[in-house]
Every structure is written in C-alpha cells, then in structure tokens.
Amino acid sequence: MTRLTPEQKAANRENFKARDRAFNARRKEWRTARDAALADFDNKSPEQLAMTQAIAASEESRRARDADAAELRQQIAALEARIAGLDDKHRLSELFEVRRTAVNARNKARSALQERMDNEFQDVSSVSSAVQWAASGHFTPASQQA
C-alpha cells in the first residue's frame, strides 16, 4: 500500500471540502424549492381545498351530532328520573307489604285447614296405599264382617 504525500493529502482535503460545499449548496437549493412548492400546493391546490372543506364539513356534522346526543342524554335523564318515581306513584312498597301480609295469612290459614283435614282423616292422611291402610286395621272385608 502506497502512502500519500502531504501534497496529495492536502489536495484530497480541498477536494472533499469542495465536494461538501457543492453538496450542501445543492441540498439547500432542493430544500428551498421543495418548501416553496409545498407551500404553494398547500395554498392553492384543489386537493388542499377539498381536504379543508371535508374537514370543516365533518367537524360541523360532529358538533351537530354531539349537540343532538346531549339533548337525548338530557331526555334520558329526565325519563330515568320519572321511572325512579314510579314505585312511589303506584304505591308499590305499600302494596307489596299488603301482598306479603295477605300471602302469609293465606298460607297460614291453608296450612291450618290442611292440618285439620289431616287430623280428621288420620287413617288415610299419612298412608299412601290401600294395602298399608288395610294392614293398619282400617278395612274389614264384607266377607269377614258377618
């Protein structure tokens, strides 16, 4: 491998500096041209205008929808308040207590009646078959009665 002379090294440095300056200048031209073209596009293009109009229309529609939704939520809240008051309006708590008392009284009276019937018919109330009933001495065949 050959070593570069100090003159060659200095020439390379100058060459690299010239290359870098040229690149930076060209890159600056590109950025300036691009930024100007994009700014012009953003200010004048039909696509930009269409996008701006679409955004405005959708935002206006969203705001109208939000206002309608807020109105409906208020109506729902009012209806929920009315629903909450229906128990009192129709005296449900009071009537359910009367109902509970009536059911308990009916069940107690029915149980007492069933117990009275079971006591009155003790011979069959706890027997599930004729064989068991007869075996308990509650039936005498006609042939054996005479």
Side-chain angles (χ1 to χ4, degrees):
M1 180 172 191
T2 321
R3 289 186 165 257
L4 295 177
T5 65
E7 293 80 23
Q8 289 173 321
K9 288 182 183 178
N12 281 346
R13 273 194 298 276
E14 287 305 314
N15 194 21
F16 293 152
K17 285 180 185 178
R19 179 203 61 194
D20 291 349
R21 280 191 297 272
F23 173 76
N24 288 333
R26 183 70 175 143
R27 189 155 170 91
K28 185 176 181 183
E29 287 176 38
W30 166 71
R31 273 195 221 113
T32 303
R34 182 196 61 187
D35 292 349
L38 291 175
D40 190 51
F41 179 88
D42 289 345
N43 290 328
K44 299 177 185 175
S45 73
E47 296 87 357
Q48 178 71 28
L49 177 61
M51 182 191 78
T52 302
Q53 290 172 342
I55 289 171
S58 67
E59 286 301 310
E60 182 181 337
S61 183
R62 185 189 53 78
R63 284 189 295 276
R65 187 265 337 249
D66 289 350
D68 288 348
E71 182 181 330
L72 289 174
R73 284 187 190 95
Q74 288 176 342
Q75 292 175 12
I76 289 168
L79 290 172
E80 286 175 343
R82 286 180 55 197
I83 289 170
L86 289 177
D87 285 1
D88 291 339
K89 177 182 177 183
H90 293 282
R91 303 176 21 237
L92 281 184
S93 295
E94 176 186 330
L95 293 173
F96 280 162
E97 184 57 37
V98 169
R99 172 181 159 174
R100 193 174 9 265
T101 302
V103 167
N104 289 342
R106 177 253 186 207
N107 289 345
K108 185 176 178 183
R110 191 172 191 279
S111 293
L113 175 62
Q114 185 175 348
E115 187 177 337
R116 194 177 84 229
M117 291 294 106
D118 288 348
N119 286 335
E120 194 172 316
F121 293 91
Q122 286 182 5
D123 61 320
V124 291
S125 66
S126 60
V127 177
S128 57
S129 72
V131 173
Q132 184 183 10
W133 180 67
S136 299
H138 298 292
F139 177 71
T140 307
S143 60
Q144 293 179 2
Q145 287 181 2

